[in-house]
Amino acid sequence: MFFLYSYVGSNLNVLLLPRPNPTMDAALVAIDARFGYSWPDALAWASRHPAISDFLRNIYLSTQTFLFLAFIAVGAFFDVRRLHKLALACVLGGLITVFFWAFFPTSGACAYWTLDPKIVEIVRPVAGSAYGAELNRLMAEGVTRLDNFNIKGLVGFPSFHTVMALVIIPALWPLKALRLPLIASGLVAMPGILIHGGHNLMDIPGGIAVLVVSWYLAEAVLKAREHSVQSVPMESAQAAA
Amino acid sequence: MHIHPAERLIFLIIGILSVANVALIWLKDIEFHFTGAEVMLATAAVFFGVSQAARRAGRFIRTSNVLLCSPCSSSTAMSAPT
């Protein structure tokens, strides 16, 4: 069901192209600079540490696998309510991300900077400058065909990869033995998202904010739905009396 | 088939987004080719929709006795034919 949602949601994201409003990438790059971060510098560092870069790429590309495993673990160790909460949080997080992007579009650092080809050759970022140029073209022209599924992601801010990488922490938090590994995996995923996802630094706090909102919203929605289901038999019993 | 309210909500969101997708494809005149996976997903969605409609129709028929007259639909008449 969640994968069906992912398919429909990613198609909607593509179909919302082109965006008439200008992207906010320049503003995010300026904010990043105040924190001393720039994507080309991060990739230059990664090019000097290719083994770490390869490790971060593997972690970045495994995010969806980790999420899938988290779904299985939640289903195995907890009740169905927690599984629903995780699924709802992911669905709501995706919706918030896409709708925020629709009004305030961003493509990430990869669409703003042009990297040195030598660095690209060593680091081989998943979303590099060539992909950024393609994002800029899509942002301006949109799509004419919907059979191109080589699009790895369109949204810069907030980072939905951050949501996917970190949502497993609250989902599996009651398992005390897994807390430290979960936090460690979340922390390791962040540099991978920045370097290989071609994101701005600010995209990550944006993703964390979306995660917090969607997690609590999922709980609120579940409570409201459960309350409405419980109140229906009571109302009908009262009517019968 | 029992569907939890949370699952029903996610299916509703998927349905709304699917309608929005179809509307955008039509409005923007976007070329669209069905792949095997999409046909499979569409089949699953139709199967789910039909099974839900059948379930609701069955419940409506059982509770309102629209097809059976009340003596025939009673348990006594069904279990003890004359």
Side-chain angles (χ1 to χ4, degrees):
Chain A
M1 183 171 63
F2 177 68
F3 289 102
L4 184 64
Y5 163 76
S6 301
Y7 175 79
V8 175
S10 59
N11 269 352
L12 178 72
N13 201 177
V14 172
L15 286 166
L16 288 172
L17 290 166
R19 299 314 306 152
N21 26 352
T23 64
M24 302 195 308
D25 286 314
L28 291 173
V29 167
I31 297 170
D32 285 1
R34 290 187 176 209
F35 286 90
Y37 175 82
S38 92
W39 189 58
D41 289 349
L43 268 91
W45 179 87
S47 70
R48 292 192 296 273
H49 304 87
I52 297 174
S53 172
D54 288 348
F55 173 70
L56 293 176
R57 186 192 307 105
N58 289 332
I59 294 287
Y60 177 76
L61 292 173
S62 307
T63 310
Q64 281 166 322
T65 309
F66 282 134
L67 182 60
F68 179 65
L69 291 175
F71 268 95
I72 292 172
V74 170
F77 293 112
F78 301 108
D79 57 356
V80 73
R81 189 185 191 279
R82 198 164 190 87
L83 192 62
H84 286 142
K85 187 175 174 181
L86 174 60
L88 257 182
C90 291
V91 166
L92 295 172
L95 283 179
I96 293 169
T97 302
V98 170
F99 283 104
F100 186 90
W101 170 86
F103 289 104
F104 306 102
T106 46
S107 297
C110 63
Y112 185 84
W113 300 98
T114 303
L115 293 171
D116 182 347
K118 286 178 187 169
I119 290 177
V120 173
E121 199 176 323
I122 299 168
V123 179
R124 292 181 291 122
V126 177
S129 294
Y131 183 66
E134 175 65 5
L135 284 182
N136 286 333
R137 188 192 68 77
L138 287 171
M139 202 68 94
E141 298 173 12
V143 292
T144 52
R145 294 165 66 100
L146 201 62
D147 54 0
N148 182 5
F149 292 102
N150 291 325
I151 295 170
K152 299 155 195 159
L154 296 172
V155 181
F157 181 93
S159 158
F160 190 61
H161 239 95
T162 303
V163 177
M164 288 195 296
L166 298 184
V167 75
I168 61 176
I169 297 176
L172 293 167
W173 190 252
L175 295 175
K176 287 182 182 173
L178 283 182
R179 281 181 188 173
L180 271 178
L182 285 170
I183 292 170
S185 77
L187 288 174
V188 169
M190 296 304 112
I193 289 169
L194 288 173
I195 291 169
H196 288 283
H199 278 279
N200 291 305
L201 183 65
M202 286 301 111
D203 298 351
I204 288 182
I208 293 171
V210 169
L211 168 63
V212 171
V213 169
S214 52
W215 186 257
Y216 283 102
L217 205 56
E219 176 64 31
V221 169
L222 273 180
K223 273 186 183 165
R225 303 289 291 187
E226 286 160 357
H227 179 73
S228 66
V229 167
Q230 282 168 0
S231 63
V232 167
M234 284 174 66
E235 283 167 8
S236 56
Q238 283 168 355
Chain B
M1 183 170 61
H2 171 70
I3 298 172
H4 190 275
E7 292 172 7
R8 202 170 293 166
L9 180 66
I10 295 174
F11 274 119
L12 181 68
I13 291 170
I14 291 170
I16 292 169
L17 294 187
S18 303
V19 171
N21 281 354
V22 171
L24 284 168
I25 288 169
W26 181 67
L27 284 171
K28 294 186 173 184
D29 197 20
I30 289 170
E31 207 176 326
F32 187 72
H33 295 287
F34 286 108
T35 64
E38 287 152 6
V39 170
M40 194 178 74
L41 283 173
T43 309
V46 169
F47 175 77
F48 175 76
V50 169
S51 66
Q52 284 295 295
R55 194 174 68 93
R56 280 164 190 263
R59 191 195 297 161
F60 175 73
I61 289 166
R62 279 195 305 276
T63 53
S64 62
N65 292 334
V66 289
L67 294 183
L68 301 172
C69 60
S70 52
C72 302
S73 63
S74 71
S75 59
T76 313
M78 296 291 275
S79 60
T82 54

